Amino acid sequence: MKLTDVELRRISMPLVAPFRTSFGTETTRDILLVRVITEEAEGWGECVAMTSPRYSSEYVDAAADVLRRFLVPAVMAAGAPAAHSVAGILAPFKGHHMAKAALEMAVLDAELRAEGRSFGRELGAVRERVPCGVSVGIMDSVPELLEAVGGYLAEGYVRIKLKIEPGWDVEPVRAVRERYGDDLLLQVDANTAYTLGDARQLARLDPFDLLLIEQPLDEEDVLGHVELARQIRTPICLDESITSARDAAAAIRLGACQVVNIKPGRVGGYLEARRIHDVCVAHGVPVWCGGMLETGLGRAANVALAAMPGFTLPGDTSASGRYYASDITEPFVLDGGHLEVPTGPGLGLVPVPDRLAEVTTATERLAA
């Protein structure tokens, strides 16, 4: 398909409540959307980069810049690129996985819409609905945390993930486990907040029978995770350290992780995410789908990804209402702890025009 136009659109999405992690607190998401227009169809992509480079080296202004100056012109110059060729076209430009993922997602969406195929079918989904977990940010107090967790369980979420950091780890975990019991599926996420010197403290989480501890050490400290795995019983899951199928294979071979969190934006797109899934399945390593506070566009694609066979743990594919009072698409609503996998062409949904207009802060058209 020949791309005739590409639109970069910035939107501002207020969160229903502040979301605090070890690297900062978010109250509003500044999101970059990519819309590609072809002779046959339109497609949407969502860039998950944050406002500042705290989760990773990428941030939304830089993503817009690299798309405008390098990535979009390269794809347009390729003539009529298929979605599976986008990664190769963009390979000469180093890094910028989140920007590349948004562009590939938009091209793939347009291609699948034109051919009448869904994201789920393209990725290899085997389920019509997926179980959903929820990520709970760092709170000001344990009672506040317990109330929040109770609310999410009442809504039907089947797994709870607690964000942790030094000074907020053992006590909140103990409180949640004691209040809600041993049957609760519970895991924690450190977002690189610890060092190997904290191994003894992290080992204090072992008695709570957690599903996993996510990314305890720095993203570049793969060998540190190998050593940490020898010192704690809780399974280690890597997030920020995994940016490609090659990274996943190396981490598994070294013994740095027993579980992998797959975030398509972090790894350069849904097609690379599928390759990581395949590597992990081949090695018997379970995977789950992470979240980056996506709108309904990114959520639709994530739910399709999470329906693949190797996604055996509930992901952070929460309902729209977990983060936004009003989404830019028709909302995803939890039903019995699950979300339905869209079956329509492409993502299976599009933004609601009036709602999209309300939250748009800027648009830019890049013509061929």
Side-chain angles (χ1 to χ4, degrees), residues 1 9 19 59 69 87 127 142 151 156 161 185 203 224 252 329 343:
M1 299 184 304
R9 180 181 292 259
F19 187 65
Y59 58 102
R69 295 173 59 195
R127 291 183 287 272
V142 168
K161 180 174 85 172
L185 298 180
I252 293 167
T329 65
T343 57

Side-chain angles (χ1 to χ4, degrees), residues 245-318:
R246 183 172 58 186
D247 285 348
I252 293 167
R253 181 178 178 182
L254 289 169
C257 63
Q258 294 78 50
V259 185
V260 171
N261 170 0
I262 301 180
K263 289 179 179 169
R266 191 191 68 236
V267 305
Y270 286 86
L271 301 183
E272 184 67 13
R274 181 173 61 183
R275 284 187 281 270
I276 294 173
H277 163 275
D278 293 347
V279 166
C280 291
V281 168
H283 288 84
V285 172
V287 300
W288 56 283
C289 184
M292 294 288 288
L293 286 64
E294 290 91 346
T295 70
L297 295 172
R299 197 169 310 279
N302 285 352
V303 169
L305 182 72
M308 292 180 68
F311 285 81
T312 57
L313 298 174
D316 288 339
T317 48
S318 305

Side-chain angles (χ1 to χ4, degrees), residues 238 240-252:
L238 290 183
E240 289 93 328
S241 294
I242 306 298
T243 60
S244 67
R246 183 172 58 186
D247 285 348
I252 293 167

Side-chain angles (χ1 to χ4, degrees), residues 164-183:
I164 62 170
E165 65 181 359
W168 181 265
D169 41 40
V170 175
E171 292 312 312
V173 170
R174 176 184 288 112
V176 169
R177 182 58 88 200
E178 289 179 350
R179 171 70 63 87
Y180 297 107
D182 294 338
D183 292 337

